[in-house]
Amino acid sequence: MDQLIQLYLCIKQYFNKIAVLRIITYKKNKTMKKTIVLTLLLAGFSGLTQAQSIRLGVKGGINYANQNGTEITVTNDNYDSEAITSYHAGLVAEVKLLEGFAIQPELLYSTQGASYKYAGEEFKNELGYLSIPVIAKIYLSKSLSLELGPQASFLMNQRKNVDFKDSKTFEFAAVGGLGLNITKSLFIQARYGLGLTEASKNADIKNSTFQISAGILF
C-alpha cells in the first residue's frame, strides 16, 4: 500500500513539473511576441519627432505565396507544395528622416499559404495575416529605393479543405525589395518575404511570399 502511495506521489509530482514547464514556455513565447511587436512599433515611430516629412497612403497588390519545409505531411503522407496567388492591402506611412532615407511602417491584411498535391489530388491551405512590416527605405536615386526590414504577422483566419496541422498565430519574417516612385504620389513595389519562424505548431514549415504592390501617398 505504501509503495502505491509513493508511486502515485511520484506520478503527480512528474505531471506537476510538466505543467509548470508548459506555463513557463507559454509565458516566454508570449513575452517574445510582445517584445518583437513593441520593437517594431518603436522602430516605426521613433523618428517622428525628427522627421522632415510624414506622408500617409494606401497600397495593395498580389502575393505569390508558398510554404517551404522538411515536414510537409498530412496523415503521414508527404505532399508536394506549390505556390498560390493571393492578395494584400492596407495602410502605409512614409517617414522621411534624411534626404535619401525614410522609414515606412505598414499595416496590411495579407493572405499566404500553399497548394498541396498528392496522388492526383490537390488541396489548398490559405492563411490570412495582419502584417506589420517596418521598412527602411534607402533611396538609390530620386525615384528608386532599396527596401529592407522586419515584419511581424498575426494569424486572423485560415481557409483550408484538408486537415493540416495547427497553424501558429504569430509569424516573424524578414522582407526586402525595391520601390519605384512613378510620380510624386504614385509608387510601385516588388518585395520578397521570408518567414523566420515556423507557420505550423507541429511541423517545420515556413512561409515565403513574393509581392507586387501599387499605392498612393497623400
Side-chain angles (χ1 to χ4, degrees):
M1 187 66 179
D2 291 339
Q3 291 179 345
L4 290 175
I5 293 175
Q6 290 179 357
L7 179 61
Y8 168 76
L9 292 176
C10 289
I11 294 173
K12 183 179 180 181
Q13 186 179 15
Y14 172 76
F15 282 104
N16 285 339
K17 288 182 179 180
I18 292 178
V20 170
L21 288 174
R22 286 182 176 177
I23 292 173
I24 292 173
T25 302
Y26 172 77
K27 288 183 176 180
K28 284 183 178 179
N29 291 336
K30 195 172 183 180
T31 302
M32 183 187 70
K33 293 177 186 178
K34 290 181 179 179
T35 302
I36 291 174
V37 174
L38 181 60
T39 302
L40 291 178
L41 292 176
L42 289 175
F45 298 104
S46 61
L48 290 178
T49 57
Q50 302 177 1
Q52 296 181 7
S53 66
I54 302 174
R55 303 175 68 190
L56 303 178
V58 295
K59 64 176 285 187
I62 61 173
N63 292 345
Y64 189 68
N66 205 343
Q67 291 181 325
N68 304 310
T70 58
E71 297 182 12
I72 305 176
T73 60
V74 180
T75 61
N76 297 323
D77 294 320
N78 291 324
Y79 277 58
D80 295 324
S81 66
E82 293 186 357
I84 62 172
T85 302
S86 54
Y87 70 94
H88 64 275
L91 306 174
V92 300
E94 186 184 68
V95 183
K96 189 175 181 181
L97 301 179
L98 301 171
E99 185 60 31
F101 181 75
I103 297 293
Q104 183 168 301
E106 303 175 358
L107 183 64
L108 306 173
Y109 180 79
S110 179
T111 55
Q112 302 176 44
S115 177
Y116 293 87
K117 287 185 177 181
Y118 175 77
E121 295 184 273
E122 184 173 353
F123 309 96
K124 189 175 182 181
N125 187 35
E126 191 173 288
L127 308 172
Y129 288 97
L130 180 65
S131 298
I132 309 173
V134 179
I135 306 300
K137 298 179 68 174
I138 304 169
Y139 279 91
L140 306 177
S141 67
K142 289 185 178 180
S143 58
L144 182 65
S145 62
L146 175 65
E147 302 182 351
L148 301 168
Q151 176 177 278
S153 299
F154 299 88
L155 183 64
M156 304 298 291
N157 56 69
Q158 181 175 11
R159 185 172 62 187
K160 56 186 179 179
N161 54 8
V162 62
D163 187 18
F164 280 88
K165 298 177 180 179
D166 292 337
S167 298
K168 286 189 175 181
T169 58
F170 177 79
E171 183 205 39
F172 187 67
V175 297
L178 295 173
L180 179 65
N181 294 332
I182 299 176
T183 67
K184 187 177 180 180
S185 299
L186 182 64
F187 66 89
I188 58 174
Q189 295 172 323
R191 184 181 297 174
Y192 179 75
L194 178 63
L196 302 178
T197 57
E198 283 76 19
S200 173
K201 295 179 180 179
N202 302 310
D204 182 17
I205 298 174
K206 296 178 181 179
N207 287 316
S208 63
T209 309
F210 178 72
Q211 295 180 330
I212 298 178
S213 315
I216 298 176
L217 289 172
F218 303 104

